[in-house]
Amino acid sequence: MAQVRIYRGGKQLALMLFLSVVAGLAGCHRAKADPASKRFLVLQTNLQPPYQEFDNGALTGTTIRRLDCAFRKIDVDYGITLAPRQRNLDMTRKGQADGFFLSRLSPEMASYAEPTLPLALEKWVWVSRHHVNDGPSRVPHPDQNVTVGAVLGSNEAEWILDQGYPDVVHAPSLRSLIALLQKGRIDFAVTDQQSFARKREDLNLNADDFSERFASYMPLVMYFAHNYIHENPEILKKLNRALDACEPAVVKLDHDEQDRIMREEVVRIRQLMRAPALINALRNHANQQDPAIGTIVSPDKVVALDRDWQEASANGTASRLAAKILQNDVSTYLQRAYRNRDVRFAEAFIFDRQGLIIGMSSPTSNYDQSSEAKFNIFAEKTADAVQIADIYYDPSSSKFLSQITMPVTDPQNGDVLGALTVGLDVTAALTSQD
């Protein structure tokens, strides 16, 4: 079978086509790239536009760009072999490859591999033929008499089986899956929204001929084989830090989703902001001098405090300052609000006009927010300003969050007391039937 191998190292890139048996791929691959290097990494993947795709003979895509960025930062050369996804899993399990991507998180893989932070976030949708009477709740359930389909060996196919759907059809490709849907052979197909849109356009199909309903957000990772982790114990930590510093893996909210969040969730958040207990706590903070850090903190001190804060956070603890802030009245209110089941957020924090955290429901990753996009909320001229960020995956809570930021104002005089950021649990918000 034809195997495409891509060698990456430094500034050089070579694309070669081989005819070889799968069992010999890993050793040959490593030797051709750099037989003396113990750091060279052998990875398996499959084509999956727009994440991994060919463009003028070069392997590219959003995932490849993130990996290139991260591996450059940690100075690791690596090679990629293209093969069907199931074969990639088998080769990693058998020790014939050092790792593979993209994969959903799976407890079954824990016996032979360890995951990285997400390389990509997908929005999976249920796709059906469009009907005039389609409603927003028209999604299949395992106990219904419907036939669902997915691409053979795909992440979506594994997920469908895990959800307990009894009547599942596996198509050899996304093109075939769409054809089965058009012919009425299946009632619903589950697929990544971006991949479906790309294939639909390639086939010159009208978007109005299909209905899409939200199925799930899914973090897709790279798995390192246990034997590679054993030989390179620092690789996972280093790569995750590098991925954090490279192009973020996000999902954009579409127009309807933003409208729903504005209509339902922002209303709930505003109720939190206007509570007398929070306003009084923020007034007290603004009117008192903190002997530990002062009301206005010098730039040098901010850098030092932020460094201590981030180092402690990376080790799963709270810095001295973070621990103190967690005990104040602002934090106490946010922690109480977090336990309110009517509010769908995984975190909430308030920062001042300097960008510094003054209250939080749980420890944040950093103290200084002034270099982040959310800090721009202070430039808005209206008290009703709202900033809704792209969706990201939070590994600590295993939730998909969108940070919603808005100013908190004093109802007596209109003064801005700070800015509240809420990490909204988007899955809970968009799948609720309220």
Side-chain angles (χ1 to χ4, degrees):
M1 170 174 262
Q3 302 290 329
V4 179
R5 303 180 185 182
I6 298 90
Y7 296 92
R8 295 173 181 267
K11 298 181 179 180
Q12 297 180 344
L13 171 63
L15 174 61
M16 307 174 73
L17 185 63
F18 285 85
L19 295 174
S20 65
V21 293
V22 172
L25 285 178
C28 178
H29 192 176
R30 185 178 289 109
K32 283 203 175 277
D34 187 353
S37 174
K38 294 182 179 179
R39 302 182 69 190
F40 189 78
L41 178 64
V42 180
L43 298 175
Q44 298 287 131
T45 193
N46 58 293
L47 292 180
Q48 186 183 345
Y51 307 100
Q52 297 99 240
E53 58 186 330
F54 276 125
D55 184 12
N56 295 324
L59 184 65
T60 185
T62 54
T63 302
I64 303 302
R65 288 193 293 272
R66 287 201 81 205
L67 284 177
D68 277 347
C69 172
F71 282 126
R72 279 198 303 269
K73 286 182 180 296
I74 64 176
D75 192 26
V76 171
D77 292 345
Y78 71 105
I80 300 174
T81 297
L82 299 178
R85 183 173 178 275
Q86 188 58 52
R87 185 175 300 162
N88 295 336
L89 271 69
D90 291 340
M91 291 182 66
T92 304
R93 179 172 52 83
K94 295 175 182 177
Q96 297 170 343
D98 296 323
F100 74 95
F101 63 96
L102 290 163
S103 174
R104 70 190 186 111
L105 292 166
S106 168
E108 297 176 7
M109 297 177 193
S111 63
Y112 64 88
E114 294 186 43
T116 65
L117 290 176
L119 301 182
L121 300 183
E122 289 189 338
K123 178 183 176 181
W124 289 359
V125 291
W126 292 106
V127 182
S128 61
R129 290 180 298 169
H130 178 73
H131 299 283
V132 175
N133 62 346
D134 278 351
S137 62
R138 191 174 184 269
V139 297
H141 298 281
D143 58 351
Q144 291 178 323
N145 185 25
V146 294
T147 301
V148 300
V151 175
L152 178 67
S154 66
N155 287 294
E156 294 92 326
E158 293 176 356
W159 179 79
I160 285 180
L161 294 175
D162 286 349
Q163 302 305 304
Y165 289 89
D167 193 1
V168 180
V169 174
H170 297 92
S173 66
L174 185 53
R175 177 191 290 266
S176 300
L177 185 66
I178 295 172
L180 290 174
L181 195 62
Q182 290 178 301
K183 295 174 182 177
R185 298 279 300 279
I186 58 175
D187 301 303
F188 293 89
V190 63
T191 182
D192 169 55
Q193 189 179 51
Q194 285 194 65
S195 299
F196 174 71
R198 175 76 68 89
K199 182 58 66 176
R200 190 192 65 231
E201 292 172 0
D202 290 345
L203 297 173
N204 294 316
L205 299 177
N206 193 329
D208 293 336
D209 293 339
F210 301 92
S211 293
E212 296 181 16
R213 299 291 181 267
F214 174 77
S216 180
Y217 293 109
M218 193 63 59
L220 298 185
V221 303
M222 177 165 67
Y223 270 97
F224 280 116
H226 279 166
N227 57 352
Y228 184 81
I229 293 291
H230 179 73
E231 296 170 0
N232 303 271
E234 296 297 314
I235 185 68
L236 195 58
K237 182 185 296 185
K238 289 180 179 179
L239 184 64
N240 282 339
R241 287 177 178 172
L243 287 170
D244 244 354
C246 292
E247 181 182 352
V250 298
V251 176
K252 293 188 177 296
L253 288 160
D254 63 33
H255 181 73
D256 290 341
E257 291 169 336
Q258 289 199 36
D259 278 353
R260 181 169 178 180
I261 288 173
M262 286 291 295
R263 194 170 60 247
E264 299 176 8
E265 304 305 326
V266 168
V267 170
R268 291 187 175 97
I269 296 170
R270 287 199 191 283
Q271 291 173 347
L272 290 178
M273 291 167 43
R274 292 167 180 164
L278 178 60
I279 298 300
N280 289 334
L282 289 172
R283 285 175 183 155
N284 291 337
H285 173 84
N287 293 332
Q288 69 184 8
Q289 182 86 1
D290 189 329
I293 61 174
T295 300
I296 301 299
V297 189
S298 69
D300 289 344
K301 194 156 194 176
V302 168
V303 170
L305 290 169
D306 194 44
R307 182 178 59 249
D308 292 345
W309 188 298
Q310 291 189 48
E311 288 176 355
S313 177
N315 292 321
T317 61
S319 70
R320 187 175 180 179
L321 174 60
K324 180 178 180 180
I325 290 175
L326 280 168
Q327 301 299 317
N328 69 25
D329 290 344
V330 178
S331 294
T332 299
Y333 174 81
L334 294 177
Q335 291 156 11
R336 187 166 64 247
Y338 173 77
R339 295 190 290 270
N340 181 348
R341 294 186 179 181
D342 291 333
V343 181
R344 302 181 181 93
F345 65 79
E347 64 173 353
F349 54 88
I350 294 178
F351 53 94
D352 62 19
R353 283 187 170 276
Q354 212 177 339
L356 306 181
I357 298 289
I358 57 178
M360 52 192 175
S361 61
S362 56
T364 59
S365 58
N366 58 326
Y367 173 50
D368 182 11
Q369 311 292 310
S370 63
S371 62
E372 301 188 17
K374 64 176 71 71
F375 185 70
N376 294 331
I377 198 71
F378 288 123
E380 301 288 344
K381 302 300 183 183
T382 171
D384 294 327
V386 179
Q387 184 185 97
I388 303 178
D390 293 336
I391 301 169
Y392 68 97
Y393 180 72
D394 177 29
S396 63
S397 64
S398 299
K399 292 180 179 179
F400 289 86
L401 307 180
S402 170
Q403 288 194 336
I404 300 176
T405 302
M406 54 188 78
V408 184
T409 58
D410 191 323
Q412 291 184 357
N413 54 26
D415 289 347
V416 176
L417 299 172
L420 170 70
T421 292
V422 166
L424 179 70
D425 182 344
V426 181
T427 302
L430 297 181
T431 57
S432 70
Q433 299 299 317
D434 295 352

